[in-house]
Amino acid sequence: VRMVRPQPLVDFMRGRTNSSRIGGKRHEELILPINSSLSVTLHQDQLKTTTTVACSRHFQEDRIWLNGKEEDINQPRIQSCLREIRRLARKRRSDEDLSNDISLAHRVHICSVNNFPTAAGLASSAAGYACLVYSLSRLFGVDGELSLVARQGSGSACRSMYGGFVQWKMGERQDGKDSLAEQVEPESHWPELRVLVLVVSAERKLVGSTSGMQTSVKTSKLLKHRADCVVPGRMEEMISAIQRRDFAAFGELTMKDSNQFHATCLDTYPPIFYLNDISQKVISLVHRYNQHYQDTRVTYTFDAGPNAVIYTLEDHVPEFIQVVRYFFPPETNGGEFVKGLPVGPASLSEDLKTAIGLEPVPKGISYIISTKVGPGPCVVEDPKLHLLNPEGLPKKST
């Protein structure tokens, strides 16, 4: 099976608006959050995870390859997803007497590739587990509320099962059956919205999201205040701003929430530093750009990493990219600086340069990915794009 793009290949990626970031887990094994959260799924034409899943009676054991390297299939979260999909498949077959389907005793081979930096604060685990669960569900004929399964791999992955604007409801039940994702608006809702991923560093972060959250839950008093007193109201405000397509409200909430998330990281003991000097300069640049126009034209958010996700409207993309290019000059003989959706030309006024007034930092930004809101996981029909060969092993190109 292959899937976005087999019945296994699912290509898929998501980014987050951060009306509310996940501040921690109230149940680590079931991956139940202490607050609800909201995210934006980014378009697979620019940012994606591709996963191929194959099943055969000739396979001796379950195996998985990530970005060309074989990994331990016995990682607890991978096993949780495999176990739950197989359980749902057994239940479906007993209910419907589907004796001719693929044998659940057969082992699976999984191959997955990201086309964006992994473990660098760009939601690679969310994209990866959403893709994995969707591919496995297609292989074994499982349907239903798959966000509950994806959540067991990575909390954020439950939101990545849908396109557009998606909320993860924290739920109240101890068994987590009501902690699931729900689409707020589809990807077609706000066609003018654009997303620029400013890749500061593709290196793996020193503190992973999961371990960082565990430490914050134990040591940060700000985290509890945030979950109890800030996030519930902010969720309502953010959903309303999205539904009204009110960019000024959307932008202010996004930046405030990103800032508070990282304040929580600093309130953790010992403190967690996800942002670096370039991240902080991007924050200053955005605020000075908006102040020049006396309008919220662009907004930033940072996940657990130094890379900035910028939201803006289509009309402002060319100028803002020129601003980034001016204050973070790329290598003249390097690779493509702006990838993804094409961006038209723009000139910068001297007034704007003076108003921003930052000292340029050459090569501070490695490259920019220009994208937009996109759909959830989908099937890749072209066999040439499958990642596994007929023997169930990764193709040489992967």
Side-chain angles (χ1 to χ4, degrees), residues 196 198-200 255 276-289 298-302 306-310 320 324 328 356 358 361 364-365:
L196 303 173
L198 276 52
V199 179
V200 174
M255 290 186 283
N276 61 20
D277 290 346
I278 301 300
S279 310
Q280 293 168 7
K281 288 184 186 300
V282 169
I283 290 171
S284 294
L285 184 148
V286 167
H287 284 294
R288 294 183 185 201
Y289 180 84
V298 296
T299 182
Y300 59 78
T301 182
F302 294 82
N307 301 306
V309 177
I310 302 293
F320 187 73
V324 174
F328 300 97
I356 293 175
L358 295 172
V361 182
I365 304 294

Side-chain angles (χ1 to χ4, degrees), residues 68-364:
K69 179 183 176 184
E70 185 163 12
E71 302 286 350
D72 182 9
I73 192 75
N74 293 313
Q75 293 179 42
R77 293 190 174 189
I78 296 176
Q79 286 299 309
S80 292
C81 293
L82 282 169
R83 188 164 52 246
E84 183 62 12
I85 286 290
R86 283 169 167 152
R87 184 190 71 79
L88 292 171
R90 279 194 298 272
K91 183 178 184 301
R92 172 177 173 265
R93 290 172 194 198
S94 64
D95 291 346
E96 301 179 24
D97 190 27
L98 300 174
S99 56
N100 293 327
D101 275 11
I102 296 173
S103 172
L104 292 174
H106 293 169
R107 302 294 91 190
V108 296
H109 284 188
I110 303 161
C111 188
S112 187
V113 173
N114 298 325
N115 76 339
F116 58 95
T118 300
L122 291 176
S124 57
S125 61
Y129 276 106
C131 207
L132 171 65
V133 168
Y134 187 66
S135 299
L136 289 170
S137 72
R138 296 297 298 261
L139 177 66
F140 290 113
V142 171
D143 52 20
E145 187 47 72
L146 294 175
S147 75
L148 291 172
V149 184
R151 192 198 72 219
Q152 297 180 44
S154 168
S156 299
C158 73
R159 296 188 304 249
S160 297
M161 297 303 297
Y162 296 93
F165 304 84
V166 189
Q167 65 172 320
W168 176 10
K169 294 185 172 182
M170 62 177 288
E172 298 178 354
R173 291 177 50 162
Q174 293 298 312
D175 62 5
K177 294 294 171 108
D178 60 347
S179 181
L180 43 75
E182 180 181 271
Q183 187 181 66
V184 173
E185 293 291 347
E187 61 269 23
S188 59
H189 171 69
W190 202 344
E192 303 87 8
L193 190 64
R194 291 293 181 269
V195 186
L196 303 173
V197 181
L198 276 52
V199 179
V200 174
S201 172
E203 294 181 2
R204 286 179 172 266
K205 53 203 174 193
L206 296 177
V207 180
S209 305
T210 299
S211 63
M213 284 188 286
Q214 290 170 348
T215 306
S216 294
V217 168
K218 292 175 183 176
T219 64
S220 173
K221 290 184 179 180
L222 176 58
L223 177 65
K224 179 171 174 52
H225 169 76
R226 171 176 160 73
D228 293 344
C229 304
V230 178
V231 168
R234 194 165 277 173
M235 282 289 292
E236 292 181 8
E237 292 178 69
M238 179 61 90
I239 289 172
S240 175
I242 289 170
Q243 291 174 335
R244 290 182 283 115
R245 293 189 285 273
D246 182 342
F247 187 84
F250 169 87
E252 183 174 330
L253 286 166
T254 296
M255 290 186 283
K256 285 182 175 179
D257 203 74
S258 176
N259 295 341
Q260 192 178 69
F261 166 72
H262 288 281
T264 300
C265 295
L266 292 177
D267 190 52
T268 299
Y269 190 81
I272 302 169
F273 304 97
Y274 286 124
L275 306 184
N276 61 20
D277 290 346
I278 301 300
S279 310
Q280 293 168 7
K281 288 184 186 300
V282 169
I283 290 171
S284 294
L285 184 148
V286 167
H287 284 294
R288 294 183 185 201
Y289 180 84
N290 288 337
Q291 286 167 4
H292 173 73
Y293 285 107
Q294 295 295 299
D295 184 27
T296 302
R297 292 194 172 191
V298 296
T299 182
Y300 59 78
T301 182
F302 294 82
D303 201 346
N307 301 306
V309 177
I310 302 293
Y311 290 93
T312 188
L313 298 179
E314 186 176 12
D315 289 347
H316 304 317
V317 169
E319 181 181 74
F320 187 73
I321 282 187
Q322 284 303 111
V323 167
V324 174
R325 190 187 291 272
Y326 180 83
F327 287 100
F328 300 97
E331 292 186 71
T332 54
N333 60 348
E336 187 180 15
F337 185 59
V338 180
K339 306 178 182 183
L341 292 176
V343 177
S347 58
L348 302 183
S349 69
E350 291 303 318
D351 284 349
L352 177 57
K353 294 176 186 177
T354 302
I356 293 175
L358 295 172
E359 188 72 26
V361 182
K363 298 183 285 187

